[in-house]
Amino acid sequence: MATAAASTQSERRRRKSTASILLTFLGSMNLAITLLVALAIASVIGTVLQQGQPYQDYLLKFGPFWFEVYEFLGLYDVYSAPWFLFMLAFLVVSTSVCLVRHTPFVWKEMTRFREHQQERSLRALGHRREWLVDADTETVAATAETALTRQGFRARRKNKGDGIMVAAMSGRSNRVGYILTHLAIVVICIGGLIDGNLLVQWQHWTGQLTVETRDIPVSQVDDSSKIPPRRTAFRGNVTIPEGGRAGVVFLRLGEGYVVQELPFRLHVKDFRIEHYDTGEPRSFESDVVLHAPELDEPIEQTIRVNEPLVYDGHAIYQANFGDGGSRLGLRAWPLDGGEPAEVETHVNEELALPGDHGRRLEVTDFEVFNIHPVPEATSRREVRNVGPSFTYRLRRPTGEALEYENYMLPVDIDGDSYFLSGVRRSPGDEFRYLHIPADPSGGLDRFMALLQQLRDEDAVAAAADRAMEDIGITESRVRQQVGREAHGMIQTLLESGFDAVMAEQQQRAEARGGDAPERLMDFYRLVVERTLWEAYAQVLLDEDIDPAEPAEEDLVFYSDAITAMTALADYQAPVFLELTDFDHRQATGLQIARAPGQNIVYFGSLLLTVGIFLLFYVAHRRVWCWVRPASGGAQVLLAGSSQRDPMGFAKAFGKLEGDLNQRFGDRRRDASNGVSGDST
Amino acid sequence: MSTQQILGEDTYDDRGFLARLSLFDWLWAAALLLGSVYASYHFAPWMDRYEHGILYLTWASTVAIGWMWKPARLFTIVVAAVTLFAVMRYPDLAAAETDFFLNYLLSSQAAIMWMCALFLAAPVVYFAGLLGRAAFLERLGTAMMWLASGAGLVGLLVRWWESYLIAPEVGRIPVTNLYEVFVLFAFTTGLIYLYYEYRYQTRALGGFVGLIIAASIGFLLWYHFVQGAHEIDPLIPALQSWWMKIHVPTNFVAYGAFAIAAMIGVAYLIQARMPNAWQRRGLPSPEVMDDLMYKNIALGFAFFTIATILGALWAAEAWGGYWSWDPKETWSLITWLNYAAWLHLRFTKGWRGTPMAWWAVAGLFVVTFTFLGVNIFLSGLHSYGEL
């Protein structure tokens, strides 16, 4: 068989057809190495450019021109790009050709002992040693054969004329290693190809499948974006809220997704996160029930990270988690005065907020635990739970939205507690937090009462009146006028911040202050400060606290409250949303995959491992021992060489040489005649 | 045929490998087995059947290594004895500060600091020995390398125990974050180097290999003191798997071997500039260094292949697919392709010498990026050891 293969090989070569030139090219080592290096470089792209992001993000990042170029090159999913797959296929073809062309030679290498070697050519080999032994050729040849066998060689004896040629080789499996490794690459690539998403890509390309980009319920997805249950490979994700069911997964494709229908339905009973004492998550697990028509009893199992549920070739993994639409009870405190309103909503729901500001509320997330490091922590293990939080967007009628993050409970900062609410313009920014001081009972009431006082024109006028009485201004016309001005300045403070009030004071002072505007400015500042205090005093009075003898905490509250008031301008929300109660509902993120090529890939991996060890740790070696009668005994020539592993061979040859030397022992008649080869 | 006889049958020791083993070899293997059996009963509540399998696999490979490389036997005995001594004095974490031995020598932090000190000093001593042609200093270098590797291994073993002292559910094998794998890298590289030092009977390359270990120690110390990375954190769910126990150590055998190959490449290139001066000082001949470079890359490649396959098997269980083109996976593939190309050129084109040495050095940069760069610059599923 080997001979037949070899002869067709040579015939082909003689013909020198285009096919043979192509075959030679495909099987050439230069091509193989070029492909290896090219694949390595191409693979870098996908690690530098984040794969599978929303197209909008790429557009923002690269601008319209480069976005198009990169999209054309398939860089957003580079490992499925036609050119990348083509390169992989090229490697497979090249390896296969290499394998097919070389296997006959390898087979010959493994099976032929080359006992027809001439003495002349043996003398040309790198390692040689000669002895003259006082024994007959049969004995010497048999001794050589034994020595070779003991050193791990397989030997074959052949009588040639009056001499005996003992041809030996060891490590034939090294050549098997060559076949296994290269076969492994082909097998692994075929397995990988089976598990790739080529089929879906093809259907998309030929228009049988359209990509859905909208975030809509599955029931509304068009049938052209749905794939019925199938036996081929896919890998997709689905998020199921606790108590919810699903019979599909979403496969990411291009700029959107397609819906893969499953031959079973999953019901998620519960999702749990367990925590270590330090607050880090310890386990994520989902209790799921799998219903399938062919099952008499549904399968109930808990899926954990590292412990998937496997059913009918589908592996179901715990991939991530999120909120499954928790119910949130909110109290919307208007920041422009007025009574709070109770609102109920769910995560991922949107609704119009009460009030005439036209804002819509979109709650995006809810967290029960927020583990943060203790402020003055010396080690990473000092953490605390600051309680539930939720994030939401307030969208103006124009479509712009700011994002907020509110904590349910006041957070302790340097001994005082504050309600924190973060605001940011875009997801890329950091939240900037509004610190609203919690009142002694731990609520928002006092702050909101003060805010209401300051928003109420009559209340401010009354406070200003009391303030001016304190200062000692008696003229009622001045008191009325300044009272109105104080209200205006406080509104400026609430709406535009501290700097704006300063500017307004300066403007008013310059307009009316005559030759000493500075004094008038100081006066205005004093009036505003006193008015604020008097408004606060009223709030305290309403709480039955004597403002004349405020407690330390009331003073701290006052200064924190004024700081928060001046920051309201940057907060840019018409309401403050207080989280009053919630029903937590989580959602589990499952990944469901079918990989029929998996076992092929594993088999290939096994071949690869075995092959590599054979290649590296079994050396293919050949030596010849030529024994011919000489005067008074036998002349022995031991010779061999190795291109691939000269040092290992030298060692093995030296051992063999020593063995024979010892075996011939005192039968050696003429040791000096032995030509020790250039065994370096 | 009748005249045929076999010469020298009586004089030559042609016993097989097993028959040539000494009584000590067998006793040592039996003692290790006894220890493994004890561990597998004593710690049964914390182990699943895969972990029992891994325990006996570890025993078998340790025995195989010790039988082929005799000094490893003493090493395992000393490391085992010292670790047991430390564990016996370690009923709770507070003992690390009150017990003299733990505080200064054997708590994981103390042992790792000793490892750092010894690994930093070893290349200095080796180079002093090489440049000053002082055989004694070179022998001292070898001793330091052994001690440092032992201290590192003891440090990790004791750290394993410490993790259970924090809380039983926190306990895990200490190969789970960048700090721990740097310790692993340092002593694995040290041990692989010592093996080749023994096989090739040359201490001249110790300084070169010591340099790359010292570099990793430098990083380790920075990571310890600036980032406080030495603290034992509990394991995130994705890493709670017995695959960890084989995937990571296999990978670090490969990284260590690649690093040694690169440093021999450096030595090769330096010698190529002034062959006589260096060879006089005892640096091995270019052929020997070339061979060593190949041996290490082959070892690295074989283990890297296994590690990547193990990683794929694990990924199939944890991430929903054996291959996700995650940056770490992709860079592993790049590293693999790089060395595959290197080996092809050597095998089939017969390339040797300077270009291959340069390539081995360049290969270390690819490996370093796979090992470290991916964690620093790229994000993905594999981002456990963040900086």
Side-chain angles (χ1 to χ4, degrees):
Chain A
M1 198 185 84
T3 3
S7 69
T8 44
Q9 193 75 41
S10 54
E11 264 169 42
R12 261 197 222 127
R13 205 165 281 163
R14 239 172 277 132
R15 263 191 276 134
K16 271 279 175 195
S17 64
T18 329
S20 92
I21 295 171
L22 186 69
L23 225 60
T24 315
F25 167 69
L26 280 175
S28 78
M29 186 46 57
N30 289 343
L31 177 70
I33 292 171
T34 312
L35 277 173
L36 288 181
V37 174
L39 256 179
I41 293 169
S43 300
V44 175
I45 298 171
T47 67
V48 178
L49 181 65
Q50 263 204 332
Q51 300 285 291
Q53 301 293 305
Y55 276 28
Q56 208 58 36
D57 290 7
Y58 290 127
L59 190 58
L60 275 175
K61 206 167 174 181
F62 303 122
F65 177 72
W66 289 110
F67 170 79
E68 294 258 333
V69 173
Y70 292 166
E71 192 195 1
F72 177 75
L73 293 174
L75 298 193
Y76 306 136
D77 189 6
V78 78
Y79 306 113
S80 306
W83 61 268
F84 189 85
L85 291 176
F86 180 74
M87 235 158 73
L88 260 182
F90 212 44
L91 183 72
V92 172
V93 170
S94 159
T95 314
S96 311
V97 169
C98 195
L99 199 57
V100 169
R101 282 184 53 202
H102 285 102
T103 301
F105 294 111
V106 168
W107 181 253
K108 261 200 284 184
E109 273 273 285
M110 281 168 59
T111 48
R112 303 222 177 141
F113 282 79
R114 299 201 191 150
E115 56 269 51
H116 297 289
Q117 209 68 287
Q118 297 299 316
E119 184 178 342
R120 193 156 29 90
S121 47
L122 291 188
R123 289 194 183 281
L125 293 177
H127 296 271
R128 298 182 309 278
R129 174 71 194 263
E130 279 186 84
W131 294 273
L132 196 61
V133 184
D134 181 17
D136 58 294
T137 51
E138 278 291 336
T139 303
V140 170
T143 306
E145 212 177 327
T146 310
L148 283 163
T149 313
R150 288 276 148 80
Q151 296 291 341
F153 284 85
R154 289 161 155 270
R156 184 162 295 180
R157 212 192 308 183
K158 171 121 184 127
N159 292 322
K160 282 165 78 176
D162 52 354
I164 303 168
M165 175 66 90
V166 183
M169 68 172 154
S170 73
R172 293 199 293 181
S173 51
N174 171 282
R175 305 319 299 151
V176 180
Y178 163 81
I179 296 176
L180 290 186
T181 44
H182 291 79
L183 188 62
I185 298 304
V186 177
V187 170
I188 289 172
C189 286
I190 289 173
L193 210 61
I194 291 173
D195 287 345
N197 69 344
L198 271 185
L199 186 67
V200 173
Q201 289 231 34
W202 174 256
Q203 288 176 337
H204 174 44
W205 198 61
T206 55
Q208 299 170 52
L209 204 57
T210 52
V211 168
E212 180 60 71
T213 52
R214 293 165 298 170
D215 194 7
I216 51 173
V218 177
S219 53
Q220 291 171 25
V221 173
D222 191 75
D223 279 347
S224 66
S225 299
K226 285 184 179 168
I227 310 171
R230 57 188 167 125
R231 310 297 301 169
T232 44
F234 63 82
R235 192 167 164 187
N237 287 74
V238 62
T239 303
I240 311 174
E242 288 172 312
R245 286 163 190 275
V248 298
V249 284
F250 301 93
L251 314 182
R252 196 169 54 71
L253 186 63
E255 52 188 317
Y257 61 89
V258 291
V259 175
Q260 170 69 54
E261 289 168 347
L262 299 172
F264 52 81
R265 287 181 73 75
L266 284 173
H267 171 211
V268 173
K269 288 169 73 180
D270 192 21
F271 172 76
R272 287 178 302 278
I273 305 179
E274 278 166 30
H275 294 264
Y276 293 105
D277 296 340
T278 50
E280 280 112 327
R282 183 180 167 196
S283 76
F284 306 114
E285 38 191 71
S286 307
D287 294 338
V288 299
V289 185
L290 187 148
H291 301 270
E294 63 272 21
L295 283 175
D296 299 330
E297 286 276 305
I299 301 172
E300 284 203 40
Q301 197 174 319
T302 301
I303 301 174
R304 295 184 187 84
V305 179
N306 276 311
E307 286 176 41
L309 159 62
V310 179
Y311 174 70
D312 189 28
H314 296 77
I316 306 163
Y317 303 88
Q318 182 68 58
N320 47 40
F321 62 95
D323 195 280
S326 299
R327 185 195 65 81
L328 305 183
L330 303 176
R331 184 172 296 138
W333 296 90
L335 295 175
D336 49 2
E339 290 300 316
E342 304 292 329
V343 180
E344 191 174 278
T345 185
H346 294 89
V347 174
N348 297 328
E349 238 176 44
E350 59 166 283
L351 56 84
L353 273 181
D356 52 3
H357 39 68
R359 298 289 210 287
R360 290 187 73 79
L361 167 68
E362 305 168 8
V363 178
T364 51
D365 202 6
F366 170 73
E367 299 276 353
V368 181
F369 299 108
N370 282 286
I371 311 289
H372 293 308
V374 171
E376 55 279 355
T378 49
S379 92
R380 287 178 297 161
R381 223 180 300 294
E382 290 175 49
V383 290
R384 61 175 180 176
N385 177 15
V386 295
S389 71
F390 68 113
T391 46
Y392 58 98
R393 281 192 286 266
L394 291 181
R395 197 171 291 283
R396 292 168 189 269
T398 52
E400 308 154 70
L402 290 182
E403 194 180 8
Y404 296 88
E405 178 189 58
N406 287 15
Y407 287 85
M408 184 183 194
L409 305 171
V411 176
D412 187 87
I413 298 171
D414 296 334
D416 298 307
S417 41
Y418 302 88
F419 287 93
L420 295 186
S421 176
V423 56
R424 65 180 175 189
R425 297 199 167 275
S426 76
D429 299 343
E430 293 272 320
F431 278 112
R432 293 172 58 224
Y433 286 91
L434 177 69
H435 291 61
I436 298 181
D439 55 33
S441 59
L444 279 161
D445 300 83
R446 184 187 283 182
F447 180 84
M448 291 303 171
L450 177 59
L451 191 62
Q452 277 202 6
Q453 284 273 331
L454 296 176
R455 284 293 194 182
D456 183 354
E457 188 162 2
D458 295 341
V460 172
D465 208 49
R466 288 196 300 279
M468 277 177 288
E469 195 170 325
D470 277 0
I471 301 169
I473 294 168
T474 48
E475 204 179 328
S476 71
R477 196 184 55 85
V478 176
R479 271 162 76 153
Q480 265 179 24
Q481 156 123 28
V482 175
R484 271 198 305 278
E485 283 180 306
H487 178 257
M489 284 188 279
I490 286 171
Q491 298 319 302
T492 307
L493 176 73
L494 296 178
E495 262 141 39
S496 312
F498 190 71
D499 292 341
V501 175
M502 293 292 285
E504 191 179 329
Q505 284 175 351
Q506 190 168 4
Q507 207 184 336
R508 283 170 191 264
E510 275 166 5
R512 300 186 39 215
D515 50 356
E518 294 81 15
R519 284 190 55 197
L520 192 57
M521 248 187 94
D522 287 345
F523 172 69
Y524 277 132
R525 191 177 305 142
L526 185 67
V527 169
V528 169
E529 274 171 16
R530 301 293 301 191
T531 307
L532 288 170
W533 172 257
E534 286 300 335
Y536 182 57
Q538 186 58 47
V539 171
L540 290 182
L541 264 181
D542 293 346
E543 286 184 34
D544 291 330
I545 296 170
D546 180 7
E549 287 172 23
E552 174 67 25
E553 57 175 16
D554 296 326
L555 291 175
V556 172
F557 180 93
Y558 175 67
S559 87
D560 285 341
I562 298 302
T563 310
M565 300 269 175
T566 57
L568 282 180
D570 292 330
Y571 190 58
Q572 292 188 25
V575 289
F576 179 85
L577 293 178
E578 182 189 4
L579 178 60
T580 51
D581 68 316
F582 59 84
D583 289 322
H584 191 208
R585 189 189 189 200
Q586 303 184 86
T588 183
L590 299 178
Q591 180 166 109
I592 302 179
R594 256 192 80 87
Q598 180 163 313
N599 287 332
I600 300 175
V601 172
Y602 290 177
F603 176 66
S605 303
L606 182 72
L607 293 184
L608 184 62
T609 311
V610 174
I612 281 176
F613 274 88
L614 291 180
L615 265 184
F616 291 162
Y617 295 106
V618 177
H620 189 225
R621 288 172 186 148
R622 285 179 186 279
V623 286
W624 290 267
C625 199
W626 170 234
V627 187
R628 62 180 166 79
S631 52
Q635 175 86 29
V636 190
L637 170 65
L638 179 74
S641 84
S642 166
Q643 281 290 315
R644 181 164 294 179
D645 174 30
M647 298 205 56
F649 186 83
K651 223 179 246 176
F653 192 86
K655 243 174 156 183
L656 198 58
E657 205 182 317
D659 187 349
L660 277 176
N661 212 30
Q662 206 166 353
R663 279 175 197 276
F664 295 144
D666 45 14
R667 301 278 201 117
R668 275 176 301 172
R669 268 247 301 269
D670 192 359
S672 63
N673 193 25
V675 187
S676 199
D678 37 351
S679 317
T680 45
Chain B
M1 283 292 168
S2 55
T3 55
Q4 177 179 326
Q5 61 180 105
I6 308 297
L7 298 176
E9 271 304 70
D10 44 343
T11 54
Y12 195 73
D13 180 7
D14 51 10
R15 291 177 300 163
F17 177 77
L18 290 179
R20 264 181 287 146
L21 292 173
S22 68
L23 179 65
F24 180 63
D25 280 320
W26 290 106
L27 283 178
W28 169 76
L32 282 188
L33 181 62
L34 218 61
S36 303
V37 171
Y38 174 77
S40 111
Y41 278 98
H42 189 72
F43 297 115
W46 285 279
M47 296 167 73
D48 61 22
R49 59 199 161 104
Y50 299 105
E51 285 163 322
H52 285 285
I54 293 168
L55 176 66
Y56 290 108
L57 195 73
T58 310
W59 168 77
S61 31
T62 310
V63 167
I65 291 169
W67 281 354
M68 286 189 301
W69 176 31
K70 304 294 180 185
R73 296 171 308 176
L74 182 64
F75 181 77
T76 57
I77 293 168
V78 172
V79 165
V82 170
T83 306
L84 286 175
F85 177 74
V87 165
M88 282 191 304
R89 301 186 76 90
Y90 219 152
D92 52 55
L93 281 178
E97 273 151 40
T98 54
D99 186 279
F100 172 82
F101 288 102
L102 293 181
N103 196 2
Y104 293 103
L105 283 172
L106 300 176
S107 74
S108 73
Q109 284 311 301
I112 288 169
M113 280 303 141
W114 278 108
M115 176 197 83
C116 291
L118 287 163
F119 269 140
L120 286 177
V124 178
V125 175
Y126 266 125
F127 272 126
L130 179 67
L131 299 175
R133 290 188 235 180
F136 167 73
L137 285 178
E138 289 194 324
R139 277 208 303 279
L140 183 64
T142 302
M144 291 170 95
M145 209 73 147
W146 274 112
L147 282 173
S149 302
L153 181 52
V154 167
L156 279 200
L157 290 172
V158 173
R159 190 179 167 90
W160 199 343
W161 174 256
E162 284 171 0
S163 70
Y164 277 89
L165 289 183
I166 289 177
E169 76 266 14
V170 174
R172 79 289 199 289
I173 188 170
V175 291
T176 61
N177 59 33
L178 213 47
Y179 174 83
E180 290 162 354
V181 296
F182 256 93
V183 179
L184 181 66
F185 172 80
F187 75 74
T188 313
T189 311
L191 288 175
I192 298 172
Y193 163 75
L194 285 168
Y195 171 76
Y196 284 111
E197 186 184 277
Y198 172 84
R199 277 273 155 251
Y200 282 71
Q201 291 295 310
T202 170
R203 295 196 161 93
L205 294 166
F208 293 94
V209 177
L211 276 183
I212 192 76
I213 302 179
S216 76
I217 295 296
F219 178 88
L220 185 73
L221 290 173
W222 172 82
Y223 202 41
H224 178 147
F225 288 109
V226 180
Q227 303 263 317
H230 58 283
E231 287 182 39
I232 300 176
D233 288 324
L235 222 46
I236 60 166
L239 296 184
Q240 295 166 7
S241 170
W242 54 271
W243 286 106
M244 179 66 111
K245 293 187 167 139
I246 43 179
H247 172 60
V248 178
T250 317
N251 237 320
F252 278 84
V253 172
Y255 286 157
F258 287 145
I260 294 173
M263 293 319 285
I264 294 169
V266 169
Y268 186 99
L269 293 170
I270 289 177
Q271 170 160 279
R273 295 191 162 249
M274 283 186 290
N276 294 330
W278 283 100
Q279 218 153 343
R280 245 185 294 123
R281 295 209 154 78
L283 217 52
S285 69
E287 290 76 25
V288 170
M289 286 208 272
D290 188 81
D291 189 55
L292 258 170
M293 208 155 65
Y294 158 71
K295 284 273 171 18
N296 274 288
I297 284 183
L299 179 75
F301 190 76
F303 274 80
F304 197 74
T305 307
I306 297 175
T308 308
I309 291 170
L310 290 175
L313 293 170
W314 186 5
E317 222 166 75
W319 294 344
Y322 51 81
W323 195 261
S324 310
W325 292 105
D326 161 77
K328 195 80 160 188
E329 281 177 346
T330 310
W331 273 95
S332 298
L333 176 69
I334 293 165
T335 309
W336 192 87
L337 291 172
N338 173 53
Y339 285 109
W342 192 97
L343 288 163
H344 273 95
L345 279 181
R346 188 184 159 99
F347 274 174
T348 59
K349 295 258 161 183
W351 280 28
R352 295 283 193 281
T354 311
M356 298 304 265
W358 275 113
W359 196 341
V361 174
L364 183 62
F365 287 93
V366 181
V367 169
T368 310
F369 194 83
T370 307
F371 172 16
L372 210 54
V374 172
N375 295 28
I376 298 174
F377 301 111
L378 309 173
S379 64
L381 296 164
H382 233 111
S383 45
Y384 307 125
E386 274 174 35
L387 285 169

